[in-house]
């Protein structure tokens, strides 16, 4: 009888834990993380900008998302980005996004747009024809577009920005154009890298916090806040909130052998990245709350805001639950 009771108790515990895990609202957990990041940053840096990438479905009560979660996200972000709305579908540069998928993108992005948020789209193209079509499509929807010929986001385009703007850019809504450069390895020195970026006329620069393993100093970031033509612009720093990257300063090499419980599967499409259980306190401590934390370094370097990537990490965990 004791064995039966113990077995029954263990079974009930398993069922309860399984139900709790299945019942976790992964979207709400992500919204909570983004909200906490925004609140923390704005206490230290009033007006700190949050531009969130991925997870367009989190801004609308669809596919199991709640009105509360959607409202929470819309309340804290200043802008939203979506990739491959027009080109670059299925990780293939130049591949036109299927009409039904594009229509769904536009349906979802209508929510942040109607809420007064700036909407940015990033398309991956292979030729000028595709680039022009992507720019025109973005403009027609009231979005700020950028057509990249480089999925690695490691090159500054040789041409002038599309929709070049000579005016100052103080807010995301002021932006007529933008550029993303996350991999500076082609630049032999930090000075060469900063000089190349400073010699552009983009309204918004989205770049990495680090160069050669060290965070950019405030004087370097300050130089970037002025366009080549003289007007001011915004400079945002990349920070992934949904994946850990083994080339970041926070990465402990021992994790390769013994992965902490908050690190999930590797991202098969992006070398060096692994999904994280972003609701774990261990991950939050890496992101913010101390001098060495990612966000705190971004603020210390003088960036205008953060570009939060992999907001759609919740999709991975939802899919895992369905298997």
């Amino acid at each position: 009888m004791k064995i039966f009771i113990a077995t029954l108790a263990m079974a009930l515990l398993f069922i309860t834990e399984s139900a709790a895990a299945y019942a976790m609202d992964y979207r709400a957990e992500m919204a909570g993380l983004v909200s906490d990041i925004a609140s923390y940053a704005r206490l230290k840096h009033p007006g700190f900008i949050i531009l969130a990438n991925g997870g367009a479905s989190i801004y609308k009560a669809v596919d199991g998302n709640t009105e509360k979660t959607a409202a929470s996200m819309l309340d804290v972000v200043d802008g939203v980005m979506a990739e491959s709305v027009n080109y670059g579908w299925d990780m293939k540069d130049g591949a036109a996004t299927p009409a039904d998928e594009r229509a769904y993108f536009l349906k979802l992005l209508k929510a942040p747009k109607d809420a007064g948020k700036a909407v940015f789209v990033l398309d991956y193209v292979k030729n000028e024809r595709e680039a022009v079509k992507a720019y025109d499509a973005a403009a027609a929807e009231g979005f700020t577009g950028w057509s990249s010929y480089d999925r690695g986001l490691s090159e500054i385009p040789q041409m002038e920005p599309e929709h070049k703007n000579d005016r100052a850019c103080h807010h995301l809504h002021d932006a007529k154009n933008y550029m993303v450069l996350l991999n500076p390895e082609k630049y032999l020195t930090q000075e060469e890298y900063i000089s190349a970026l400073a010699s552009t006329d983009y309204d918004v620069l989205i770049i990495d916090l680090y160069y050669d393993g060290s965070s950019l100093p405030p004087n370097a970031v300050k130089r970037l806040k002025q366009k080549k033509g003289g007007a001011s612009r915004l400079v945002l720093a990349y920070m992934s909130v949904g994946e850990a990257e083994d080339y970041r300063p926070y990465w402990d090499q021992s994790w390769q052998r013994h992965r902490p419980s908050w690190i999930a599967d590797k991202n098969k499409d992006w070398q060096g990245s692994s999904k994280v259980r972003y609701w774990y306190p261990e991950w939050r401590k890496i992101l913010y709350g101390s001098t060495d934390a990612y966000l705190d370094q971004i603020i210390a370097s003088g960036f205008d805001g953060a570009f939060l990537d992999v907001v759609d990490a919740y999709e991975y965990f939802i899919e895992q639950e369905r298997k």
Side-chain angles (χ1 to χ4, degrees), residues 132-208:
V132 171
K133 289 185 70 174
Y135 279 122
D136 289 346
E141 297 295 338
F143 304 155
T144 303
W146 187 47
S147 299
S148 176
Y149 294 82
D150 170 31
R151 187 173 288 272
L153 302 173
S154 62
E155 298 180 357
I156 298 174
Q158 295 183 352
M159 68 286 290
E160 288 289 318
E162 190 78 8
H163 306 300
K164 185 177 176 181
N165 175 32
D166 293 329
R167 296 184 178 183
C169 181
H170 298 298
H171 308 282
L172 290 182
H173 275 297
D174 296 333
K176 306 300 181 186
N177 57 72
Y178 74 100
M179 187 194 72
V180 186
L181 200 162
L182 301 182
N183 182 2
E185 66 180 11
K186 294 183 179 180
Y187 299 91
L188 299 180
T189 65
Q190 179 181 289
E191 175 57 32
E192 180 186 350
Y193 172 52
I194 296 300
S195 294
L197 289 169
S199 298
T200 67
D201 271 320
Y202 290 96
D203 288 343
V204 179
L205 291 179
I206 299 173
I207 63 174
D208 206 82

Side-chain angles (χ1 to χ4, degrees), residues 75-180:
D75 188 50
V76 299
V77 301
D78 299 286
V80 173
M81 183 183 286
E83 297 181 66
S84 303
V85 173
N86 302 291
Y87 287 96
W89 187 250
D90 199 25
M91 298 293 289
K92 298 173 183 175
D93 296 358
T97 301
D100 59 334
E101 297 290 351
R102 183 176 184 277
Y104 190 58
F105 259 132
L106 298 181
K107 175 184 175 182
L108 297 178
L109 293 175
K110 187 176 185 298
K113 181 185 176 184
D114 288 350
K117 307 302 176 181
V119 178
F120 292 71
V121 294
L122 170 54
D123 290 299
Y124 299 99
V125 301
K126 295 180 71 174
N127 55 56
E128 185 177 356
R129 180 187 64 82
E130 294 168 353
V132 171
K133 289 185 70 174
Y135 279 122
D136 289 346
E141 297 295 338
F143 304 155
T144 303
W146 187 47
S147 299
S148 176
Y149 294 82
D150 170 31
R151 187 173 288 272
L153 302 173
S154 62
E155 298 180 357
I156 298 174
Q158 295 183 352
M159 68 286 290
E160 288 289 318
E162 190 78 8
H163 306 300
K164 185 177 176 181
N165 175 32
D166 293 329
R167 296 184 178 183
C169 181
H170 298 298
H171 308 282
L172 290 182
H173 275 297
D174 296 333
K176 306 300 181 186
N177 57 72
Y178 74 100
M179 187 194 72
V180 186

